[in-house]
């Protein structure tokens, strides 16, 4: 085992989102500020107060995999399998160019197989226990997406499913970063997957009064930092990165998107759903990421915030940013935007989606906008550049940070940097 941390780069991206299959498709919509929120069609939302979400309306798993196998997977695993195919293809990974014992998978989910749980519970209640599918357990358990991906791609290295609510994908990527840094693997698929637009998922979040009910304007419903916001909008998808040790990537001639240089995690230790009102836990995660990256706060050019469009969460994160970045954020020097305003909140997959946004933004020196920011919340300092409604071009987007926070007080921050040999 080596003691000096090894350098880790990103060599592939894969995304299944409300826009469809493909990281480029996802990014093209995000940078244009084109909302992915629409009326729900994958469940009957007639009796639900919330009738909007970011769903992949036309997703048919049988188009992407063996139909028989697809029937033995919950939707959250199907989405993950499609994203895993893309990230492997994008990274150029084949059975011949990677040692399977050094190839790992860290893919988690906040909720796992909710659709499977609901369906089989309904069968038991209405038709008796004998009608419960023998595949119920291997379809619903949260770690099955990581297990399925390892089987499909012969990845025999470290394998686990992080479960930290909406920080899941960010923690998965951060843990994979550490696994490669300290020589447990040379290459890792990491991120999150989620398919919680179900009766139970919608009902639970609605009862907790966390979702927007702006049903008549789906594309305007997610509005972080706007004083007229009324909650977040749930989305679904799977967003994965390929992380690789630098020399391993160079040896096989891989395309390198960027380097991952920092990861910070913390707990609020405050409340089961509400963030710490002063943003203490969020600030600690960001400070830890900056410390491990070996940079100064002023070296960060852009922060993709957790920014869900809830008043308590948005304000607490802004307070945290002010604690970490001081005048550098309040004088408008630091770009800050929430792309959940565009693609909605993918829960356990959101950290993967927003990591892809940070990576693509650096490639094009283009900061994606916070859309629906029409009447700025007076609790947000006026000097902060929230990139309202239209993307902003810059020549100096070298370091980006992605924040993800989850119920239970889980906080995770990732830092990416343009690659230089």
């Amino acid at each position: 085992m080596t003691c000096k941390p090894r350098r880790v780069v990103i060599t592939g991206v894969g995304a299944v989102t409300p826009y469809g299959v493909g990281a480029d498709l996802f990014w093209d919509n995000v940078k244009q500020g084109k909302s992915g929120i629409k009326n729900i069609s994958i469940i009957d939302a007639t009796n639900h107060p919330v009738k909007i979400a970011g769903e992949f309306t036309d997703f048919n798993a049988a188009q992407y995999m063996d139909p028989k196998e697809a029937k033995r997977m919950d939707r959250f695993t199907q989405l993950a399998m499609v994203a895993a195919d893309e990230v492997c293809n994008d990274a150029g990974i084949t059975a011949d160019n990677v040692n399977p014992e050094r190839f790992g998978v860290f893919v988690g989910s906040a909720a796992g197989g909710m659709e499977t749980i609901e369906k089989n519970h309904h069968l038991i209640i209405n038709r008796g226990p004998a009608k419960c599918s023998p595949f119920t357990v291997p379809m619903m358990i949260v770690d099955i997406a990581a297990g399925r991906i390892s089987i499909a791609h012969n990845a025999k290295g470290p394998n686990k499913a992080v479960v930290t609510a909406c920080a899941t994908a960010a923690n998965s990527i951060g843990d994979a970063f550490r696994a490669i840094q300290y020589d447990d693997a040379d290459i890792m698929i990491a991120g999150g997957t989620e398919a919680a637009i179900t009766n139970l998922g919608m009902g639970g979040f609605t009862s907790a009064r966390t979702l927007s009910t702006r049903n008549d304007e789906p594309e305007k419903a997610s509005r972080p930092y706007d004083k007229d916001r009324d909650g977040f909008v749930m989305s679904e998808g799977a967003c994965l990165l390929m992380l690789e040790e630098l020399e391993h990537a160079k040896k096989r001639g891989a395309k390198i998107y960027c380097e991952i240089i920092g990861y910070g995690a913390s707990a609020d230790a405050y409340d089961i759903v509400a963030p710490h009102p002063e943003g203490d836990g969020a600030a600690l995660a960001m400070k830890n990421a900056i410390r491990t990256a070996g940079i100064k706060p002023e070296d960060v050019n852009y922060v993709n915030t957790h920014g869900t469009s809830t008043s308590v969460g948005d304000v607490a994160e802004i307070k945290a940013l002010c604690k970490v970045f001081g005048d550098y954020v309040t004088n408008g020097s630091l770009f800050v935007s929430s792309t959940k305003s565009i693609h909605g909140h993918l829960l356990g997959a959101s950290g993967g989606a927003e990591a892809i946004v940070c990576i693509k933004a650096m490639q094009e020196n283009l900061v994606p906008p916070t859309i629906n920011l029409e009447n700025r919340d007076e609790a947000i300092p006026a000097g902060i550049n929230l990139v309202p409604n239209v993307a902003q071009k810059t020549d100096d987007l070298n370091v980006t940070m992605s924040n993800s926070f989850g119920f239970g007080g889980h906080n995770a921050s990732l830092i990416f940097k343009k690659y230089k040999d």
Side-chain angles (χ1 to χ4, degrees), residues 5 20 46 58 62 72 90 92 126 137 149 153 159 189 194 201-202 215 264 276 300 333 343 365 380 393-394:
T46 303
D58 300 322
R72 296 176 176 176
D90 190 45
N126 291 283
V137 173
I149 292 169
H153 296 280
N159 188 292
I189 297 173
E194 204 73 68
M202 295 302 297
N215 295 318
H276 190 286
V300 179
S333 297
H343 50 69
N365 287 320
I380 309 295
K393 191 73 176 174
T394 175

Side-chain angles (χ1 to χ4, degrees), residues 157-177:
N159 188 292
K160 69 178 177 182
V162 173
V163 181
T164 51
C166 302
T168 291
N171 280 133
S172 299
I173 293 166
D175 289 355
F177 169 49

Side-chain angles (χ1 to χ4, degrees), residues 112-134:
M114 295 191 81
E115 184 179 58
T116 299
I117 294 170
E118 289 179 29
K119 180 179 178 180
N120 284 278
H121 181 257
H122 181 81
L123 286 171
I124 290 172
I125 295 298
N126 291 283
R127 299 177 64 185
K131 293 299 180 183
C132 185
S133 166

Side-chain angles (χ1 to χ4, degrees), residues 303-315:
V303 177
N304 186 299
T305 62
H306 187 61
T308 59
S309 186
T310 63
S311 57
V312 291
D314 291 358
V315 172

Side-chain angles (χ1 to χ4, degrees), residues 58-78:
D58 300 322
F59 178 65
N60 179 3
Q63 292 181 352
Y64 304 97
M65 62 193 78
D66 182 337
K68 183 178 179 180
E69 283 300 300
K71 289 180 180 178
R72 296 176 176 176
M73 299 180 199
D74 188 276
R75 186 177 175 99
F76 90 104
T77 302
Q78 294 172 348

Side-chain angles (χ1 to χ4, degrees), residues 63-391:
Q63 292 181 352
Y64 304 97
M65 62 193 78
D66 182 337
K68 183 178 179 180
E69 283 300 300
K71 289 180 180 178
R72 296 176 176 176
M73 299 180 199
D74 188 276
R75 186 177 175 99
F76 90 104
T77 302
Q78 294 172 348
L79 298 174
M81 295 295 282
V82 178
D85 285 346
E86 183 188 7
V87 79
C88 286
N89 289 334
D90 190 45
I93 292 299
T94 69
D96 301 325
N97 65 0
V98 62
N99 177 353
E101 295 183 358
R102 302 286 297 171
F103 181 20
V105 181
F106 288 175
V107 174
S109 175
M114 295 191 81
E115 184 179 58
T116 299
I117 294 170
E118 289 179 29
K119 180 179 178 180
N120 284 278
H121 181 257
H122 181 81
L123 286 171
I124 290 172
I125 295 298
N126 291 283
R127 299 177 64 185
K131 293 299 180 183
C132 185
S133 166
F135 294 100
T136 300
V137 173
M139 288 174 69
M140 61 178 260
I141 52 178
V142 177
D143 64 318
I144 198 64
R148 282 275 191 177
I149 292 169
S150 73
I151 295 167
H153 296 280
N154 195 33
K156 298 180 178 178
N159 188 292
K160 69 178 177 182
V162 173
V163 181
T164 51
C166 302
T168 291
N171 280 133
S172 299
I173 293 166
D175 289 355
F177 169 49
R178 291 275 167 77
I180 296 173
Q181 272 191 313
Y182 293 100
D183 205 22
D184 286 334
D186 292 326
I187 186 163
M188 298 283 300
I189 297 173
T193 181
E194 204 73 68
I197 304 173
T198 68
N199 283 299
L200 185 58
M202 295 302 297
F205 280 113
T206 300
S207 295
R209 299 182 179 180
T210 57
L211 297 181
S212 171
T213 56
R214 196 183 287 258
N215 295 318
D216 55 343
E217 294 182 301
E219 70 283 358
K220 290 183 176 294
S222 184
R223 41 197 319 117
Y225 316 120
D226 189 278
K227 69 178 183 180
D228 297 321
R229 63 187 177 276
D230 67 334
F232 74 81
V233 179
M234 193 193 303
S235 286
E236 65 175 356
C239 295
L240 309 178
L241 305 183
M242 189 71 78
L243 290 80
E244 189 165 356
E245 192 272 329
L246 174 60
E247 296 305 319
H248 187 277
K250 290 166 66 175
K251 185 176 180 180
R252 68 180 188 88
K255 166 186 60 187
I256 296 176
Y257 281 98
C258 66
E259 185 170 3
I260 177 170
I261 60 171
Y263 169 46
S266 71
D268 276 355
Y270 174 74
D271 187 85
I272 59 171
V273 293
H276 190 286
E278 299 303 316
D280 287 359
L284 180 58
M286 286 186 267
K287 289 177 181 176
N288 285 339
I290 290 168
R291 175 179 55 80
T292 59
I295 61 174
K296 302 185 298 294
E298 294 78 9
D299 293 326
V300 179
N301 306 123
Y302 165 57
V303 177
N304 186 299
T305 62
H306 187 61
T308 59
S309 186
T310 63
S311 57
V312 291
D314 291 358
V315 172
E317 186 175 10
I318 291 297
K319 288 181 178 179
L321 286 169
C322 291
K323 288 180 179 179
V324 175
F325 294 101
D327 293 344
Y328 179 59
V329 63
T330 55
N331 68 15
S333 297
L334 176 64
F335 294 102
V336 176
S337 72
S338 168
T339 52
K340 286 187 179 71
S341 61
I342 306 166
H343 50 69
H345 191 351
L346 283 74
L347 307 183
S350 63
E354 291 148 19
I356 292 172
V357 168
C358 285
I359 293 165
K360 294 286 190 180
M362 283 194 296
Q363 278 192 303
E364 298 186 15
N365 287 320
L366 184 73
V367 182
T370 305
I371 67 167
N372 301 320
L373 187 49
E374 298 167 344
N375 299 294
R376 188 181 179 118
D377 185 339
E378 293 173 356
I380 309 295
I384 296 178
N385 181 5
L386 295 172
V387 196
N389 302 311
V390 179

